[in-house]
Amino acid sequence: MTIPAFYPILDADQVSAIPAAEALLQAGARILQYRHKSFFSRKAFEEAGQISELCRSAGALFVINDRADVAKLLDAALHLGQDDLGPADARRILPAPVIIGFSTHNEQQLLAGNLEPVDYLAIGPIFPTRSKLNPDPVVGLDRLRALRRLTAKPLVAIGGITRDLAPQVFAAGADSVAVISDLFPRPEEWIAICSRK
């Protein structure tokens, strides 16, 4: 698959997800992940459903974080972390061509992830990040360069990536940059930055 270079992640605990989704899609985002780490209530499901419809109307890929069941119900893609349902089990719920991504944080996890039935891999944190309470050790640009050679799958870099740092991340081999904290204001700047990668 070809993954969009700009990969915004909407953390439902940090932003008003629906207005944020509208702004990102209007700016030109072609992929959007909905991340809801707290209890996935009926309200959260309804919010995810609304964002799914916005993405569908905009021709953007909608991705649900962690929850294979919700992804199935909303006809969405899925992104899994190391502690979530295993990718092979998720494939039983979401057979190809449904897109599944998988987070990794080091060489061992990346190599293992490369063997899983997933469409893209994420690696990070590339830089120090405040988006996680207990982040994994920082990967850094030099390590990213080395890890890039270990997989032919699309590689999404995540963690502490700002507008100023994004060009260096692309130069180190990332196909896409996932952004949580630095989305606003002016998300259209991200589109411009990523179009030059």
Side-chain angles (χ1 to χ4, degrees), residues 75-94:
D75 195 23
L78 175 68
H79 187 89
L80 296 168
Q82 288 289 315
D83 297 325
D84 298 327
L85 184 68
D89 291 323
R91 269 287 171 230
R92 294 166 57 196
I93 299 169
L94 300 166

Side-chain angles (χ1 to χ4, degrees), residues 4 12 17 26 37 56 87 103 105 119-120 128-129 144-145 153 159 161:
Q26 187 175 8
K37 291 292 188 181
R56 194 168 287 113
S103 288
H105 309 289
D119 301 283
Y120 70 87
T129 178
L144 173 60
R145 228 172 253 110
K153 292 182 178 181
I161 301 170

Side-chain angles (χ1 to χ4, degrees), residues 6 8 24-32 58 60 191:
F6 174 48
L24 287 162
L25 292 167
Q26 187 175 8
R30 288 294 163 255
I31 188 170
L32 197 58
I191 304 296

Side-chain angles (χ1 to χ4, degrees), residues 105-106 109 124-125 132 134-139:
H105 309 289
N106 54 49
Q109 291 177 2
K132 280 195 172 183
N134 298 299
D136 290 273
V138 169
V139 172

Side-chain angles (χ1 to χ4, degrees), residues 5-44:
F6 174 48
Y7 190 147
I9 298 176
L10 292 177
D11 189 326
D13 295 325
Q14 293 184 15
V15 297
S16 296
I18 292 172
E22 290 172 335
L24 287 162
L25 292 167
Q26 187 175 8
R30 288 294 163 255
I31 188 170
L32 197 58
Q33 184 186 129
Y34 181 72
R35 182 184 189 212
H36 190 91
K37 291 292 188 181
S38 51
F39 174 66
F40 212 103
S41 63
R42 182 180 299 176
K43 182 180 177 184

